[in-house]
Amino acid sequence: MSQFQEVLKQSGLHPKPAGLVLQYGTAGFRTNAKHLDHIMFRMGLLATLRSKKTTATIGVMVTASHNPEEDNGVKLVDPMGEMVTPTWEGYATQLANAEQEDLLAALKDVIEKEAIDMSQEANVFVGKDTRSSSASLSQAVMDGVSALGGHSKDYGLVTTPQLHYMVCCQNTKGKYGDATVEGYYSKLCQAFIQLTKSASNRTDDQKHLSVDGANGIGALKVREMEAHLKKELQISLFNDGSKGKLNHQCGADFVKVQQKAPTGVEMSPGERCCSFDGDADRIVYYFTDSEGQFHLLDGDKIATLISTFLKELLTQAGLDLKMGAVQTAYANGSSTRYLEDTMKVTVRCTKTGVKHLHHAAQEFDIGVYFEANGHGTVLFSKAAEEKIQRLAEDANINDERKRAARLLQNTVNVINQTVGDAISDMLLIEAILAIKGMTVQQWDSIYSDLPNRQLKVKVADRRVIDTTDAERRAVSPAGLQDAIDSLVKKYRKARSFVRPSGTEDVVRVYAEAETQESADDLAHDVSLAVYRLAGGVGGEPKQQL
Ligand code: NG1
Ligand code: ZN
């Protein structure tokens, strides 16, 4: 077949270094950019097959999110804008690791297993972040698509959530919105402006927000969007990429893990600030108080704010919809307690990785899901959306119910339901604070975080660690969980767990306790246990001061 000859010819231009093995992990393939050219070409091939199989448009995003600038990565986006299914993640790994001479056989294997009709048309949307390697890598994806006779549409520089949005818009034939960047801004910003109309007498101070763009794509896109906001949100943009390095000492991951303000942002005491990550699918908020103390409002605080807002609106609207919150083991214990005990919201805990959270959130009428690191969104079931819509249009209800229904309707529109989205989340949070007349300090004081610490340990092979109970307990190597249990007993209100990272070659350690000192000590002790029992390399972990 000439199609396969073309693949063979083209793949020679994107050769795989012999012996290199990579895994489709928590967030696709991710490693140093110099190892990724063949992966990109092959993901172009796979996306084309996926498109033929689903008879829908598939997305491919070239980004390594919060990783250093030297890295890059790639993720596939399924027809409704969701992450690709686990079976196809397996195919991705197979194709990626086939040696050059076995590529055709690996490709034919997928075609056979999935009974793909090769005469079917294929359409692939491609996007990339601002990394210097992204241009040639996204070209490699498009080479893969054309080698199999598919059509690609190059969206160029877009945020990860924007690409997910485009795919969903395309496959819903415009029902979700226009599959253009302009369409995205106008849908979100119109909903935002409608929401803020019901906030009376906002001062310029309340309308102001400082944004750390992590020197990445989010910064470019905030600039592009600004005109659509009609000054209802006035943004001071820092780390816009004009001088600093991507994700270096800035961005959502830095702020969350280091628990401190990014460099490059001018912050006055009490001022509301937020940071995006490198591909703008995560956001965290923060401020420093008059004593110079730093306060972080992470994904857990965001989930709480959004859940509170939605619950109040549901009550006011008299709508009986089941709302739930979905978290991972990294969620601060105080947030879980607050959601369950005070707000009486059902809370589910899933494994790390947004596909798990997204899936669990689909089980509710309204599912609010957030990782502590600031990746998250809200999902509305079709039935919930229809009920809200009907109520908003009902002429026979009182003003309070009508107002609540309209607010809910605009809330649905400001949210990017396909995936966590820093820009969309930012607009929703700003609207909620405006409507509730709430300061960032009042938001912060909803509950107090338990002090916590995250550390990384290098081991020879992180796969020796196996976990259960949504990653909260280690089942291997032998003795590790017992060691953690006895360490945790030494501290008050303590909790700790370890798991192999899906995006870095490390084991992650998390600990929380009543005081910061205890959390730091516990995290260190557990790191030592991992080092000793799970094959640590490169010198024992040292206590960080
Ligand atoms: P890993 O490296 O598997 O911990 C990290 C984040 C995930 C998720 C992915 C994808 C933490 C502790 N882990 O995964 O939540 O966001 O990156 O970007 O934040
Ligand atoms: Zn990201």
Side-chain angles (χ1 to χ4, degrees), residues 66 212 247-263 275 282 284 286 294-296 298 372-373 452-456 504 508 516 520 544-545:
H66 57 277
D212 155 26
N247 295 329
H248 182 65
Q249 307 268 310
C250 63
D253 196 62
F254 173 86
V255 173
K256 167 70 181 159
V257 176
Q258 303 295 324
Q259 304 184 27
K260 62 182 184 204
T263 55
S275 285
R282 290 191 193 176
V284 294
Y286 47 91
F294 178 74
H295 294 253
L296 173 69
D298 62 3
N373 61 34
N452 58 88
R453 181 63 61 203
Q454 248 196 72
L455 296 176
K456 301 177 196 181
E504 279 180 76
R508 292 197 197 284
Q516 190 62 54
D520 290 348
Q544 291 177 359
L545 297 173

Side-chain angles (χ1 to χ4, degrees), residues 454-465:
Q454 248 196 72
L455 296 176
K456 301 177 196 181
V457 185
K458 284 218 171 275
V459 297
D461 180 2
R462 66 195 199 276
R463 288 170 303 180
V464 299
I465 297 193

